[in-house]
Amino acid sequence: MSKMLKASLFLAAALTVSACDSGTSTAAPGAKTGAAAPAAKDWTQTVVETPEGGFRMGNPDAKVKIVEFASLTCSHCRDFHKEAQTSFKPNYVKTGQVSYEFRPFMLNIYDFAATKLAMCEGPDRFFTWANELYMNAETWMEPFTKLTDADIAPLRNLAPGDQIKGLAHAGKLNEFARTKGLPGAKFDACMADQAMFDALGKRQQAAMDTYQVQGTPTFLLNGKKLDGVANWAALEPKIKDAL
């Protein structure tokens, strides 16, 4: 794990927060009508966790595979998320032409807490939680910006998992999660999950080593990093060319 991922360093800098039609039959009376065409599959409903630690939505055999290294505290990622909801997912992912994988890339310690929350209920709920966090960013992030060094000093001697849980409580992320239906006991178990924390750190280091990811959003198209592409306006032409 790199120095940037050590929890003690995160806590030292924790005060800085870096987005089928159904036809009508017109057959003559008495004529046999064919069976209705099956509804087209909605691939946005197919979500799995990948071996790389991401969450893939869509057709695993899609011609075009998009990976986004994204932060849940990143405003540019939030902007892409909003555009994806109205254009990318309905026009490309839903149809099975393109798959989309979200790979967490944490910019600060708050990202660890938010990412653990998004992962807490597994792949079936990951994008639901990511949507809640992006669309309510100001609500859940504001309490973290008000924390003082005195608020987080007692956490420094705890194990990393307990540090994340303590910080999440200090920043009232547990209260946000409860309003969205996640029980407190489950929230605490997810925040304190040391194996999840370790895995996130190793996967982040792998992203930096393999793809030289330094910030978010960073996109891959069929395994190739797209330099200079940071929004939907720049990404869509690349997808069209690949299709």
Side-chain angles (χ1 to χ4, degrees):
M1 185 180 296
S2 71
K3 291 182 180 179
M4 67 173 285
L5 292 175
K6 290 182 179 178
S8 59
L9 294 184
F10 277 130
L11 285 172
L15 300 182
T16 301
V17 178
S18 301
C20 170
D21 294 336
S22 57
T24 301
S25 173
T26 56
K32 292 183 179 180
T33 58
K41 182 178 179 68
D42 179 356
W43 281 103
T44 63
Q45 302 304 306
T46 299
V47 178
V48 299
E49 187 170 1
T50 68
E52 295 77 16
F55 293 84
R56 187 186 65 226
M57 173 188 293
N59 180 4
D61 298 318
K63 182 177 181 181
V64 175
K65 296 175 173 61
I66 295 295
V67 172
E68 179 192 11
F69 291 97
S71 157
L72 290 168
T73 64
C74 163
S75 60
H76 297 297
C77 300
R78 183 166 65 249
D79 291 342
F80 176 75
H81 170 81
K82 292 177 181 178
E83 293 167 330
Q85 297 294 86
T86 59
S87 184
F88 177 40
K89 291 177 182 178
N91 295 334
Y92 295 94
V93 180
K94 183 177 181 178
T95 62
Q97 301 177 85
V98 181
S99 66
Y100 166 64
E101 181 180 343
F102 182 113
R103 291 188 193 171
F105 191 90
M106 286 65 63
L107 300 180
N108 50 65
I109 194 170
Y110 312 114
D111 262 335
F112 273 88
T115 300
K116 281 188 162 191
L117 172 56
M119 295 173 64
C120 191
E121 295 187 291
D124 288 346
R125 294 275 295 166
F126 177 82
F127 285 106
T128 298
W129 277 111
N131 183 64
E132 293 287 1
L133 289 161
Y134 277 137
M135 301 307 288
N136 297 283
E138 293 182 1
T139 298
W140 72 264
M141 289 176 64
E142 183 180 10
F144 285 107
T145 68
K146 296 179 179 179
L147 294 179
T148 66
D149 188 66
D151 293 323
I152 63 174
L155 308 176
R156 290 198 173 100
N157 294 325
L158 301 178
D162 289 332
Q163 288 179 355
I164 299 296
K165 185 178 80 170
L167 188 73
H169 276 264
K172 301 180 181 180
L173 187 62
N174 58 318
E175 296 180 13
F176 172 81
R178 187 175 63 249
T179 67
K180 303 300 179 181
L182 187 68
K186 188 163 188 178
F187 176 88
D188 286 348
C190 288
M191 291 299 117
D193 189 332
Q194 184 66 44
M196 186 189 298
F197 178 86
D198 292 341
L200 287 170
K202 290 177 182 178
R203 291 162 182 168
Q204 178 138 332
Q205 187 64 55
M208 292 188 287
D209 293 342
T210 304
Y211 298 106
Q212 291 72 57
V213 177
Q214 297 296 328
T216 58
T218 295
F219 293 99
L220 309 180
L221 190 157
N222 290 343
K224 182 179 179 180
K225 183 181 176 184
L226 296 176
D227 292 322
V229 174
N231 54 46
W232 177 237
L235 179 60
E236 186 175 25
K238 302 289 187 183
I239 292 176
K240 288 182 175 179
D241 289 344
L243 289 172

